Amino acid sequence: MSILPQTLVDGLVTGSSYTLLALGFALIYSISGFLNVAHAEFYMIGAYGAILVTGAIGGAIFGAAAGALAVTVIGGALLYSIVLRRLNNQQHMAAFIATAGVGMFLQYGTARVLGVREREFPQIAATRGIDLGLVNVSPAQLLVIVVTAIFAALLMQWIRRSTMGRDIRAVAENEEAAALVGVRVRRIKLITICVATALAGVAGVLLGNLYGVLTPFVGSEMGLNMFVVVLVAGIGSLGGVVFTGLALGLVQALSIAYLGSQWQYFAGMIVLLLVLLVRPQGLFGRRLRSG
Amino acid sequence: MTEAVLKVVGAHLQYGVVRALQDVTFEATRGHVTAVVGTNGAGKSTLMRAIAGLVQLNKGRIEGPDGADVTRMPPDRRLTDLGLALVPEGRGIFHHMSVDENLAMGTRIGIRRHSEASAAEHLATLRRLFPILEQRHAQLAGTLSGGEQQILGISRALLAQPAVLLLDEPSMGLAPLVVERLFQTLAEYRKQNDLTVVLVEQDTELALELSDDAYLMEQGRVTLSGPSNEVSRSPALRETYLGVS
């Protein structure tokens, strides 16, 4: 039997997780002009938040979601208030260094407080596959794909259709001009950054459930793939980030299936290199658009 | 009797070692057009940015219509609470948004400051005065010509129904005929609405012709001020800025 259908499903699952994370990263870059190197660590602290809250009050999926969202939204608000708000738009290197520091603080702080050993994630959807003939899909995998699709669609509609989405696009394009038409720039930045980190928290719940275990260092690998997605897509098009996230997942899955697992990340890097050679601004690069 | 709707008193502003504003005192009278003229780097745009709240003064104060100190008020509140609307140099429109979306951002402030009915009426008036706003309503603002972008920027500011409209270099990069039409239409709008205008222009002759009062700025200082007809008769200004002696 052909392994292609199963490979495509696996690729979609991996790609969906990259997409959720990369959407938030792209949002923060668009609104602030800063590369939030710590973004993948919000995925990790979101997953730990889910473990702690479900451990304390139970509630499976709702407890996990509440824990992850609470930790990542508060974390996002602190990231903006303590770090990013103090930097002006030209201080890119300072922002890079500061957020790298925040990332390390989150990673090693979590390791110090909660330990480095693997933690079991509470199961919110079964990870055992269901045989559908051509493919074997688990409810946990389906949850990753469906939730990512819903959140990506909601995010794009919010940015495109809502008044706040218009304000976000205004700030992303020209912060001063936005202030001159009455947009409360700091408030919009704070909300956008909290939404972005919350998306990372959602990814934490979905992938924590899928993989079943967690360490404080899971963010590093995800962070690398998130960077590849955003660099290939180019900053500015959320639709482009979704397409590229899914495409990278598929490329990696196909590489594992047909070339061997050692090719998984190398294939992504080759795609990145080729795109940057031909289109340095990325496939869809320009200022923030919803499409 | 003349009534000041905006006052700047003893303003100092420094960027690093550059003194952009030095003890600048400025006043805009209700219903008047007040011109600020001078060469590049004289501090005209900095003054506008300080009035709009985009940059903070190191010293001095800015007073609103009732004489209240608004020096530390953020830009969004200067627009919504005081009605100070700046159309910045370069127009400040959102290129990746449609004409309608750009206008909607002004309309929202108009609704907040007055009412939905009044905002709708203003939009209709501006569409009548500038038919291009209706004709190009779905077009991306970045694809409009320079003159159309300026019309959009000014219309968006007027939709907020401001008390004071600050125009920074509105004629920059536009053909003389386009500038003439733009100012004619703006004059028509001002007749129907109690609007105070502060006009920053490098085209000194045009600015003095259009304004009631004028300020000449040089190297961050106000060196001459008064009614425009008197300022335009100043020998120093005539020789340096109008090229006549």
Side-chain angles (χ1 to χ4, degrees):
Chain A
M1 195 170 76
S2 166
I3 58 168
L4 183 62
Q6 185 63 51
T7 304
L8 294 179
V9 170
D10 293 343
L12 274 183
V13 174
T14 310
S16 296
S17 61
Y18 297 161
T19 297
L20 261 186
L21 215 55
L23 278 173
F25 182 83
L27 260 186
I28 293 179
Y29 181 81
S30 290
I31 201 79
S32 65
F34 298 145
L35 296 171
N36 173 26
V37 185
H39 193 68
E41 302 310 331
F42 283 86
Y43 148 74
M44 179 272 294
I45 62 165
Y48 271 100
I51 290 178
L52 293 177
V53 171
T54 47
I57 62 165
I61 194 159
F62 294 108
L69 291 179
V71 167
T72 50
V73 168
I74 292 170
L78 292 174
L79 173 72
Y80 177 65
S81 310
I82 297 173
V83 182
L84 300 181
R85 207 184 91 166
R86 293 165 197 277
L87 302 171
N88 71 43
N89 291 358
Q90 306 308 316
Q91 292 176 294
H92 300 288
M93 186 50 77
F96 186 89
I97 293 167
T99 55
V102 170
M104 285 182 207
F105 172 79
L106 291 176
Q107 205 175 70
Y108 290 100
T110 306
R112 183 82 184 88
V113 175
L114 300 173
V116 290
R117 68 179 174 82
E118 283 187 346
R119 286 254 185 160
E120 203 171 312
F121 197 89
Q123 193 173 77
I124 54 175
T127 49
R128 191 174 179 157
I130 299 165
D131 192 357
L132 299 175
L134 280 176
V135 293
N136 188 297
V137 190
S138 70
Q141 285 181 310
L142 267 182
L143 196 65
V144 174
I145 297 172
V146 170
V147 171
T148 300
I150 290 171
F151 273 94
L154 284 176
L155 181 71
M156 284 194 279
Q157 286 306 307
W158 180 58
I159 298 280
R160 181 184 294 162
R161 307 254 179 240
S162 72
T163 306
M164 189 172 284
R166 195 179 62 205
D167 287 351
I168 291 171
R169 283 183 285 141
V171 174
E173 183 173 337
N174 187 337
E175 201 175 308
E176 276 198 354
L180 290 175
V181 288
V183 175
R184 293 166 67 187
V185 173
R186 285 183 171 177
R187 178 171 165 264
I188 289 295
K189 284 185 172 183
L190 173 67
I191 292 170
T192 309
I193 288 171
C194 289
V195 167
T197 51
L199 285 175
V202 173
V205 173
L206 296 175
L207 299 185
N209 176 65
L210 186 67
Y211 300 132
V213 290
L214 194 65
T215 75
F217 306 105
V218 291
S220 305
E221 187 185 312
M222 281 295 285
L224 182 68
N225 288 305
M226 174 192 77
F227 275 116
V228 174
V229 170
V230 174
L231 288 173
V232 171
I235 301 279
S237 163
L238 296 182
V241 169
V242 173
F243 172 85
T244 311
L246 296 177
L248 181 66
L250 289 171
V251 166
Q252 290 186 347
L254 290 167
S255 309
I256 295 169
Y258 294 102
L259 302 172
S261 60
Q262 72 275 20
W263 282 85
Q264 180 182 1
Y265 299 118
F266 192 50
M269 292 302 163
I270 291 174
V271 171
L272 172 64
L273 189 67
L274 290 175
V275 169
L276 292 184
L277 278 173
V278 180
R279 255 181 93 81
Q281 74 274 37
L283 294 175
F284 307 90
R286 51 178 275 192
R287 300 300 293 179
L288 183 70
R289 285 177 297 136
S290 50
Chain B
M1 195 181 123
T2 59
E3 180 196 348
V5 285
L6 173 70
K7 266 188 191 174
V8 177
V9 185
H12 287 262
L13 198 151
Q14 198 159 339
Y15 296 118
V17 293
V18 179
R19 290 177 181 176
L21 298 178
Q22 298 183 67
D23 197 22
V24 170
T25 293
F26 169 89
E27 196 173 299
T29 304
R30 184 182 295 281
H32 280 204
V33 175
T34 305
V36 183
V37 297
T39 54
N40 267 338
K44 309 183 299 291
S45 293
T46 302
L47 177 62
M48 292 303 103
R49 289 167 61 78
I51 292 171
L54 294 177
V55 288
Q56 290 296 322
L57 297 179
N58 300 120
K59 214 170 102 184
R61 55 190 261 138
I62 299 170
E63 293 174 10
D66 53 359
D69 186 352
V70 298
T71 315
R72 301 285 158 202
M73 191 183 263
D76 56 285
R77 282 194 51 215
R78 292 193 198 201
L79 176 63
T80 53
D81 298 3
L82 304 177
L84 293 178
L86 169 65
V87 181
E89 195 178 336
R91 292 135 200 168
I93 59 164
F94 301 111
H95 290 75
H96 295 142
M97 290 189 198
S98 68
V99 168
D100 275 354
E101 278 189 300
N102 268 281
L103 293 177
M105 301 203 73
T107 305
R108 175 174 59 173
I109 305 301
I111 293 171
R112 217 180 288 170
R113 283 178 45 76
H114 296 276
S115 68
E116 211 154 312
S118 145
E121 195 183 308
H122 256 73
L123 182 59
T125 304
L126 286 162
R127 281 183 168 155
R128 184 178 52 75
L129 290 173
F130 300 113
I132 200 79
L133 298 174
E134 181 74 52
Q135 291 157 10
R136 305 276 165 92
H137 72 102
Q139 199 169 318
L140 283 182
T143 63
L144 300 175
S145 70
E148 290 165 350
Q149 288 186 2
Q150 191 60 275
I151 286 170
L152 177 60
I154 291 173
S155 300
R156 191 182 62 187
L158 291 176
L159 281 170
Q161 298 177 50
V164 182
L165 179 67
L166 309 160
L167 293 173
D168 193 357
E169 305 278 9
S171 70
M172 186 181 272
L174 303 184
L177 194 64
V178 175
V179 175
E180 195 185 321
R181 271 198 217 133
L182 185 66
F183 281 120
Q184 269 173 5
T185 316
L186 195 58
E188 201 179 320
Y189 178 89
R190 283 190 56 244
K191 265 187 219 161
Q192 298 163 18
N193 298 275
D194 180 26
L195 181 68
T196 305
V197 175
V198 178
L199 173 66
V200 164
E201 261 295 336
Q202 276 198 49
D203 185 340
T204 307
E205 197 172 353
L206 177 73
L208 293 174
E209 187 188 313
L210 293 170
S211 60
D212 305 292
D213 312 303
Y215 286 77
L216 172 66
M217 288 189 73
E218 290 172 310
Q219 295 177 340
R221 292 179 186 276
V222 172
T223 52
L224 189 62
S225 65
S228 297
N229 52 8
E230 285 179 19
V231 169
S232 63
R233 285 199 294 270
S234 148
L237 181 129
R238 285 172 67 83
E239 196 174 331
T240 313
Y241 294 93
L242 302 179
V244 287
S245 51

